[in-house]
Amino acid sequence: MVQVCLNGPRGAADGAVVPLSPEAMAEAAAAAVAAGATDVHVHPKTPCGSDTLSPRVLAATLDAIRARVSVPVGVTTGAWAEPDPATRLERIRSWTVLPDHASVNWHEPGAEELAAALLDRGVGVEAGIWSGTDAAARFAHSPLGPRVLRVLAEVTDTSPDTAQDTARALLAGLGAAPHGRPVLLHGEDGGAWPVLRLAGRLGLATRVGLEDTLLLPDGEPAASNAQLVAAGLVQYGWARRSS
């Protein structure tokens, strides 16, 4: 599986290629799926470009994307979108249109309660396990572990020289199959391409998109999420695996 991460917490300052409106996200998702993405991860945005968990904005974003693609669509629940755990939980419970899945960062306050609320509503949970945090240890003891959709192993080391080593350490901390759930491995910025290539060698799911990197493997600026997906499939070795 190759997931496209359309925008992340990036905003207008990161360039016009980053989709911020529901219509732009839908267009980007459609092009990325046409390029080979099989899953979508998106951050709904307020009109000023900030991440939000607003049920109204979430519904507009999901409706727009689902009108263009038939693959699963997931969203963030990052604490930066709503820092207060109680308010974040209230937001999740007020959603009127539900995503197929949502990422929950296990190192953030209130992660267990948030994941439980999502599961109770029938929303798949991507357990976000970040390197450099205690998330792997916390997840290992979580009673919700066997119920999550997958583990989202996120390498926050942005050095192209050390990101793969950090990824291997993160995977070792998770164990071969944490709670028996599949693992999606990805990096960010300078570590995005090295970690994606490692995921390909290990046969793990991965993701690519403007949330994780603004640059193509050769260092040139990416023109779109679709261009990143196409390059990501080559870097991942999809052609070799499909032959």
Side-chain angles (χ1 to χ4, degrees), residues 99-212:
D100 296 288
H101 51 76
S103 60
V104 176
N105 300 320
W106 230 259
H107 65 281
E108 293 177 348
E112 293 270 349
E113 294 81 3
L114 189 64
L118 288 164
L119 290 168
D120 286 347
R121 300 206 67 189
V123 177
V125 170
E126 293 181 313
I129 310 299
W130 291 22
S131 64
T133 72
D134 65 349
R138 292 173 61 180
F139 183 70
H141 297 97
S142 172
L144 299 178
R147 299 177 58 196
V148 305
L149 177 66
R150 57 180 157 257
V151 170
L152 197 64
E154 180 160 341
V155 179
T156 59
D157 180 352
T158 59
S159 167
D161 298 322
T162 58
Q164 287 194 1
D165 290 338
T166 302
R168 291 187 182 94
L170 177 60
L171 293 173
L174 281 166
H179 294 291
R181 308 316 300 146
V183 174
L184 186 158
L185 176 66
H186 74 103
E188 55 187 49
D189 293 320
W193 292 113
V195 173
L196 183 146
R197 289 191 288 269
L198 177 62
R201 291 197 296 274
L202 297 177
L204 297 175
T206 193
R207 78 178 201 185
V208 68
L210 291 166
E211 173 173 357
D212 286 351

